[in-house]
Amino acid sequence: MVSGEAVSSEAVKGEGPVGIDELLERVRAGYARVEAREAYEAARAGEALLVDIRYAALRERDGLLPGALVVERNELEWRLDPRGSHRAPEATGHDLRIVVICNEGYASSLAAASLHRLGLHRATDLVGGFQAWRSAGLPVTS
């Protein structure tokens, strides 16, 4: 599958039940994930919207990503759907490059796949999540 294409339902369904590791492998095959430095540079250049889906306790404990849109995971699709009545002002169109960030880069992969199904074909996630961002020495605020 070419980077940026939507994840098809066949790519995630497969035959019978599937474990989470296989599901992650399948959804991640549908797009190119990004490393922390690449996400940081793209956001700084105005080429990507960082979306932090970590829950409040983790944000309070570890800090915030400067400039990131904070959206709880259970609201993500509603807030980023460019056609939705509950969309965030930053959800400007289906061509928006979105980098979803969770704590360690697992939940964000499933979230990015869900955004692909909404037609947000440039959605991706951060390899290693917030922990990789912090380990790379990138900015974090309290």
Side-chain angles (χ1 to χ4, degrees), residues 48-107:
L49 173 65
L50 302 180
V51 179
D52 187 346
I53 64 168
R54 293 175 300 142
Y55 53 89
L58 288 177
R59 294 191 310 269
E60 290 169 11
R61 182 188 77 188
D62 295 337
L64 300 171
L65 301 169
L69 175 64
V70 174
V71 178
E72 296 285 336
R73 175 61 190 100
N74 64 328
E75 298 178 358
L76 185 69
E77 291 81 359
W78 285 266
R79 303 291 288 148
L80 293 181
D81 178 4
R83 297 180 185 170
S85 60
H86 292 79
R87 74 174 182 83
E90 295 86 349
T92 56
H94 286 92
D95 286 333
L96 180 64
R97 184 176 182 202
I98 297 167
V99 179
V100 183
I101 302 166
C102 68
N103 193 48
E104 295 181 344
Y106 297 102

Side-chain angles (χ1 to χ4, degrees), residues 1-66:
M1 189 174 280
V2 176
S3 173
E5 286 184 358
V7 176
S8 70
S9 58
E10 292 81 27
V12 295
K13 283 184 184 175
E15 296 290 324
V18 61
I20 188 61
D21 293 330
E22 186 177 345
L23 178 61
L24 282 171
E25 185 178 313
R26 288 180 186 186
V27 299
R28 287 172 176 169
Y31 61 90
R33 302 177 78 208
V34 297
E35 299 289 336
R37 177 73 48 195
E38 179 184 353
Y40 173 72
E41 294 298 335
R44 271 190 41 188
E47 298 169 357
L49 173 65
L50 302 180
V51 179
D52 187 346
I53 64 168
R54 293 175 300 142
Y55 53 89
L58 288 177
R59 294 191 310 269
E60 290 169 11
R61 182 188 77 188
D62 295 337
L64 300 171
L65 301 169

